[in-house]
Amino acid sequence: FTLPPLMFSRDEIEALILGSGMVARAADPALAKAARNALAKITAVLPVGRGDEVDATGLLAGPIKPAFADRVDLAPIRSAIRTEQKIWIAYDDEAGARTERQIWPILLTFCARVRLLAAWCELRQSYRHFRTDRIAGFAEVGQRYPKRRRALIKEWREIEGLPEPR
């Protein structure tokens, strides 16, 4: 109650609107709801007269249908990423052959039509990318992975040739 109103430029408000709309259309249901709730909270604390800018924006994150539907709820996988927990997955490859893997999930990438899980794979002893629509089963293992996620992401970025975010 004692915080001053949030002061965003028009461009920042539009970026928040567009970004939350993109998350709401592309993420799992729990994250989509969180994006809508966050935007509502931001709108509620804008200075008097600025809340209308949210409704009057000329930007829209259009609907998009994923090419393939996920078979598992991504919210527990996101939780495993945050808490640096190993998980077990049953994974169907391109040909439909199922393998079981114990992995250390580090990142979820939300692409336009698919989602990718980047993880250290204990079976292959290297980083792998798993399409989330091909994950047929998932279970928490109850163990932390032995390295910090930040170090794993740095290592993964170097291998993939990706620059550090600014």
Side-chain angles (χ1 to χ4, degrees), residues 103 119-130 159:
I103 61 172
W120 175 262
C121 177
E122 291 184 356
L123 177 67
R124 300 290 186 220
Q125 289 294 297
S126 65
Y127 291 99
R128 291 289 192 255
H129 300 102
F130 302 94
I159 290 167

Side-chain angles (χ1 to χ4, degrees), residues 54-71:
V54 173
D55 294 329
T57 184
L59 301 177
L60 175 68
I64 190 167
K65 267 192 169 164
F68 306 95
D70 293 321
R71 294 187 273 172

